[in-house]
Amino acid sequence: MRILDSIDDALIKESRQKQEFFWLDLSDPSKEQIEHLGALLGLHPLAVEDSVKFGQRAKLDTYGDTALLVLQGGVESEPEDENPHPLEEVHCHLSGDFIVTVHRNPYSELHDLREQFTRSNSPKTERYYVYKIVDVIVDSYFPMLADLDEQINDLEDAIVSGAGRRELEETFRLKRLLLRLRKAVVPMRDVFARQIEVITDLAGLEPDSHDYFRDIYDHLIRICDELDSYHEMVASCTDLYLSTVANKQGATSKQLAIIASIFLPLSFLTGFFGMNFSWEVGHVLVGPLAFFLLGLGTMVASACLMWWWFHHKGWTRADG
């Protein structure tokens, strides 16, 4: 198989004349380049228009002897970083003579696969090359899923340690990311579930190539299942955050209730001795000893008694 990374009219015409299967991988081509490529390879005008505009849902459109397969590949990022570009839309123009992949940004998975094909000396069938290209795009989600698993586990630990605004924002970010990934993967799963035979027939591949695409379908099912499980885990993080906040509020309310209960008898004592009855002033509150014993002493004793009672009931413990 011949591998190209730019539009070379002479090489493309030579490959088609010799019926040599080739792979052309284009990154961020211009509108004029795509239209020129469409005229060179005889692509359908609607397929050319889709590759010019991009922003397509995962789908498979067949046009005679050619087909347009639109896929959404995953773009891996480090777990601690927010990834503003988690998906890469890849247009695969399929035929029995060639496969053309078009994407807006440099895509490392396809670049690595090109180098792998270049180093390999063993000849492969056309169906294998098509399968491998599509399989690399689909399997690009697995590193992302591993990163998401670590992020969700770290988020759970952070919420248990102390739920704050940062953890809440991280929870909603993961929810939005998982929803975006699922919207990209589910249509691809549906395409491979319903139109596997269409790909093998109209792309000019061997009849048994549907076994390869069934393997891709199995990978897509696994990815969807993991995304669903991660979505449930993030939803449980939301419940954990709310329960943690409620526990904090309950602990704060308990502390305030204890303080208010301790000051309740103090307020009663100061109010009672502050009424200045003539008998009380003349017979009870006389001298400094009465001030320290009856005034301060009773307040200290009542506060100590209340604290002992709360401790005895277990209300002062963190898990009380």
Side-chain angles (χ1 to χ4, degrees), residues 108-291:
S108 60
E109 280 74 9
L110 292 180
H111 179 269
D112 295 340
L113 183 61
R114 291 206 317 262
E115 293 183 348
Q116 178 183 340
F117 284 161
T118 302
R119 292 192 302 266
S120 177
N121 296 323
S122 57
K124 304 291 184 181
T125 60
E126 299 169 358
R127 65 185 179 188
Y128 174 81
Y129 290 122
V130 175
Y131 153 76
K132 196 63 180 177
I133 292 171
V134 177
D135 183 63
V136 164
I137 297 173
V138 171
D139 288 353
S140 62
Y141 285 90
F142 287 111
M144 295 182 64
L145 294 176
D147 290 346
L148 284 172
D149 186 46
E150 294 181 5
Q151 291 183 58
I152 294 173
N153 291 332
D154 293 341
L155 177 60
E156 290 176 342
D157 296 338
I159 292 176
V160 172
S161 300
R165 184 177 181 84
R166 182 176 179 275
E167 285 72 27
L168 184 61
E169 292 176 351
E170 179 69 8
T171 301
F172 286 121
R173 186 189 71 82
L174 289 174
K175 275 188 175 181
R176 290 191 296 268
L177 177 58
L178 288 169
L179 181 61
R180 186 174 178 182
L181 294 179
R182 196 176 190 282
K183 285 183 178 180
V185 173
V186 170
M188 290 194 295
R189 181 196 64 186
D190 296 339
V191 166
F192 282 91
R194 302 171 185 172
Q195 298 178 284
I196 293 179
E197 300 297 336
V198 175
I199 297 177
T200 59
D201 294 339
L202 296 181
L205 304 178
E206 289 81 351
D208 61 343
S209 58
H210 67 275
D211 295 332
Y212 287 89
F213 292 110
R214 186 180 295 114
D215 177 72
I216 297 176
Y217 176 62
D218 292 339
H219 290 183
L220 288 169
I221 292 179
R222 177 183 168 189
I223 293 171
C224 288
D225 291 341
E226 292 194 23
L227 287 174
D228 290 339
S229 64
Y230 289 158
H231 187 271
E232 293 178 359
M233 292 173 64
V234 173
S236 66
C237 286
T238 305
D239 297 336
L240 179 61
Y241 174 85
L242 294 176
S243 63
T244 302
V245 171
N247 290 337
K248 284 185 176 180
Q249 292 177 345
T252 303
S253 300
K254 183 176 69 174
Q255 293 171 358
L256 294 176
I258 291 175
I259 294 174
S261 300
I262 291 175
F263 275 91
L264 181 62
L266 303 183
S267 301
F268 170 78
L269 292 173
T270 55
F272 178 78
F273 287 108
M275 288 187 288
N276 295 327
F277 294 123
S278 58
W279 184 87
E280 182 183 39
V281 174
H283 297 83
V284 179
L285 300 178
V286 178
L289 187 62
F291 169 76

